[in-house]
């Protein structure tokens, strides 16, 4: 559980400043009330307090993290995973959120194996997952221009040994550009992709956006789906293994 340090306290005040000092104070008090209720094991009361903070517009990762913990304690796995996902999207570097999310994911019934990522890209991806998209983009540009600079510094008049060393460096930098580029593409896709979490105990995935269509497979609470399309109260979704179909939009909630 996270408390309201100076940063979050200031944020809670600023996010409601337009509504006046009284309302701003209320949002902070709600957060502290939620923390107090959580410590005393009143998880439903804590979750209600954190939800009200979010209504005020305080989408701080620490509020979402505490809310996810409260839902997890209540046994609401779908709601817990949803808010861990939202917190991690706001702060990819938060190891506690990432660890709790991975633990919660390990408890769901639908364990889907994702496509294997090549080893060099996988290592870079795991590192970059903890960074913001902006910082990853900056790192990619640094590597890209470094590689270009090394290639441009290879005049034929240069001594053979020096030219050879720079050549190896340029080749390594070029490989790094490729790996970083693939990882950056995956990072952008991960950040911008529309995802939804299954909120009901079980949901049938159908062949079309209507209840009388064929059931293709079933997903359960906490499963993460990629949202591909929407039509009249239905989402077209897919799993990492490429299985896809339609689910009622009321049965899931977007991250």
């Amino acid at each position: 559980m996270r408390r309201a340090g100076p940063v979050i306290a200031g944020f809670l005040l600023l996010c409601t400043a337009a509504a006046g000092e009284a309302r701003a104070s209320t949002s902070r008090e709600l957060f502290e009330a939620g923390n107090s209720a959580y410590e005393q094991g009143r998880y439903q009361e804590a979750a209600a307090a954190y939800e009200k903070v979010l209504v005020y517009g305080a989408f701080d990762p620490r509020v979402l993290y505490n809310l996810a913990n409260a839902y997890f304690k209540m046994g609401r796995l779908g709601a817990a995973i949803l808010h861990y996902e939202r917190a991690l999207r706001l702060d990819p570097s938060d190891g506690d959120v990432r660890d709790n999310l991975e633990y919660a994911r390990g408890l769901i019934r639908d364990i889907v194996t994702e496509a294997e990522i090549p080893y060099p890209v996988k290592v870079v991806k795991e590192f970059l997952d903890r960074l913001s998209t902006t910082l990853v983009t900056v790192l990619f540009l640094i590597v890209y221009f470094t590689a270009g600079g090394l290639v441009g510094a290879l005049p034929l008049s240069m001594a053979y040994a020096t030219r050879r060393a720079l050549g190896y460096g340029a080749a390594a930098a070029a490989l790094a550009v490729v790996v970083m580029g693939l990882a950056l593409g995956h990072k952008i896709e991960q950040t911008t992709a529309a995802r939804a979490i299954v909120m009901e105990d079980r949901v049938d995935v159908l062949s079309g956006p209507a209840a009388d269509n064929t059931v293709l497979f079933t997903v359960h609470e906490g499963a993460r789906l990629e949202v591909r399309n929407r039509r009249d109260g239905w989402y077209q979704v897919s799993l990492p293994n490429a299985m896809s179909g339609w689910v009622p939009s009321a049965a899931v909630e977007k991250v």
Side-chain angles (χ1 to χ4, degrees), residues 18-247:
E21 189 66 29
R23 184 177 176 185
S25 178
T26 300
S27 65
R28 181 179 179 180
E29 290 171 359
L30 280 170
F31 185 74
E32 293 295 354
N35 290 347
S36 177
Y38 184 94
E39 289 177 344
Q40 296 174 38
R42 304 196 310 273
Y43 303 120
Q44 187 169 356
E45 182 180 332
Y50 297 137
E51 288 281 11
K52 289 180 181 178
V53 175
L54 295 178
V55 169
Y56 281 172
F59 285 93
D60 185 279
R62 285 158 288 193
V63 179
L64 293 166
Y65 174 74
N66 286 6
L67 178 58
N69 287 340
Y71 278 132
F72 185 84
K73 291 290 188 178
M74 293 162 61
R76 295 180 56 181
L77 196 57
I81 290 176
L82 173 69
H83 289 92
Y84 284 137
E85 290 267 13
R86 288 175 173 173
L88 194 62
R89 179 164 285 192
L90 290 177
D91 184 6
S93 66
D94 195 319
D96 290 338
V97 175
R98 189 179 299 277
D99 291 343
N100 283 17
L101 175 59
E102 289 304 313
Y103 181 79
R105 281 178 180 166
L107 300 178
I108 66 176
R109 294 172 61 181
D110 302 316
I111 306 297
V112 180
T113 303
E114 299 188 15
E116 187 66 25
I117 302 174
Y119 177 74
V121 179
K122 183 177 181 180
V123 173
V124 176
K125 172 190 169 297
E126 289 176 352
F127 169 71
L128 297 182
D129 278 347
R130 300 177 181 274
L131 307 178
S132 68
T133 303
T134 301
L135 183 54
V136 172
T137 303
V138 171
L139 290 175
F140 170 75
L141 291 174
I142 291 173
V143 173
Y144 178 83
F145 285 113
T146 299
L150 287 173
V151 171
L154 290 172
L156 294 177
S157 60
M158 185 177 290
Y160 173 76
T162 303
R163 188 152 44 88
R164 182 179 181 184
L166 285 175
Y168 285 136
L175 177 61
V177 168
V178 173
V179 174
M180 282 284 292
L182 292 173
L184 176 59
H186 183 86
K187 176 73 173 180
I188 293 174
E189 179 185 1
Q190 185 182 52
T191 303
T192 59
R195 291 189 171 91
I197 304 299
V198 177
M199 303 301 287
E200 298 181 359
D201 181 60
R202 56 173 290 153
V203 177
D204 290 331
V205 182
L206 309 179
S207 59
D212 58 353
N213 281 283
T214 303
V215 176
L216 301 177
F217 56 95
T218 301
V219 291
H220 300 85
E221 183 180 9
R224 185 175 68 182
L225 308 172
E226 301 284 342
V227 179
R228 303 299 182 185
N229 198 3
R230 181 173 186 172
R231 185 185 302 172
D232 299 327
W234 292 79
Y235 285 141
Q236 184 182 29
V237 299
S238 64
L239 293 171
N241 59 8
M243 296 176 66
S244 64
W246 293 81
V247 298

